[in-house]
Every structure is written in C-alpha cells, then in structure tokens.
C-alpha cells in the first residue's frame, strides 16, 4: 500500500481503536497489522504526539506476561478530534471514490 495513504489514515485508525478500548502500544500494532501492513516503529511516535496534544492519557497496568504495560486512553478532547477526523475522512473518501468512478467510466 502507498505510504502516503497509510500516513493519512493511521492517526484515525489509532484514535478509533483506542476509543473502543484502552490499549497498549504493541497490542495496537497487532490490531492494525491485521488489516494494514505497518512497522511497529511507526505507532509509538504517533502515540507520543497524540498524548502530548492532549488526545490520550496513559496509565501503567500490571501484566502477567512481563513488565507493566503503558495503556493509552482517549480523552474527551481526543473523542472530539476523532469525530472531526471521521467526518473529514468520510467526505474526502467519498469525493475520491466519486472522482475515480467518473474518470473510469
């Protein structure tokens, strides 16, 4: 898949998945990797930025499989940002799909 396509949608995917349930970084990578081929290293800078911008908070939770894990939780500000991005994505993808359909007829 084109790298620019991934970059545009990855932030939205992260927001949507964490809005569904709190997740730790590796778990998030695994969930996204089931549908989109991504490198593990691409998620952590994004998580740091979204946390710094106030869209996520973090907390540590014990793990039965090793050290404590840092979980990410979406904030109210993050939910609003996600909702705005979802609407923008829907409008953008609809326009692109229409353009493609018209051009290929």
């Amino acid at each position: 898949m084109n790298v620019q396509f991934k970059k545009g949608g990855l932030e939205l995917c992260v927001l949507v998945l964490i809005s569904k349930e709190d997740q730790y970084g590796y778990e998030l990578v695994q969930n996204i990797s089931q549908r989109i081929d991504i490198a593990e290293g691409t998620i952590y800078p994004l998580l740091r930025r979204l946390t710094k911008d106030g869209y996520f908070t973090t907390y540590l939770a014990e793990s039965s499989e090793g050290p404590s894990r840092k979980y990410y939780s979406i904030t109210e500000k993050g939910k609003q940002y996600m909702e705005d991005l979802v609407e923008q994505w829907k409008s953008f993808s609809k326009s692109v799909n229409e353009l493609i359909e018209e051009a290929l007829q």
Side-chain angles (χ1 to χ4, degrees), residues 4-38:
Q4 294 303 317
F5 290 165
K6 284 185 198 179
K7 283 177 77 174
L10 195 54
E11 180 173 307
L12 182 55
C13 291
V14 167
L15 285 159
V16 168
L17 287 171
I18 292 178
S19 75
K20 186 175 177 182
E21 71 176 325
D22 295 357
Q23 295 186 41
Y24 58 95
Y26 184 73
E27 176 183 30
L28 189 58
V29 169
Q30 295 303 307
N31 288 331
I32 293 172
S33 293
Q34 291 174 4
R35 296 181 185 224
I36 303 169
D37 183 32
I38 60 165

Side-chain angles (χ1 to χ4, degrees), residues 14-83:
V14 167
L15 285 159
V16 168
L17 287 171
I18 292 178
S19 75
K20 186 175 177 182
E21 71 176 325
D22 295 357
Q23 295 186 41
Y24 58 95
Y26 184 73
E27 176 183 30
L28 189 58
V29 169
Q30 295 303 307
N31 288 331
I32 293 172
S33 293
Q34 291 174 4
R35 296 181 185 224
I36 303 169
D37 183 32
I38 60 165
E40 186 175 333
T42 60
I43 293 295
Y44 293 101
L46 181 57
L47 288 169
R48 278 191 297 276
R49 182 177 58 78
L50 291 170
T51 301
K52 182 179 174 249
D53 291 346
Y55 300 130
F56 293 146
T57 58
T58 63
Y59 61 91
L60 290 176
E62 294 294 320
S63 169
S64 61
E65 301 172 8
S68 296
R69 293 178 173 157
K70 182 191 238 182
Y71 279 82
Y72 294 84
S73 180
I74 196 164
T75 63
E76 285 302 317
K77 180 180 177 182
K79 288 177 187 175
Q80 183 60 54
Y81 180 59
M82 178 197 69
E83 290 169 6

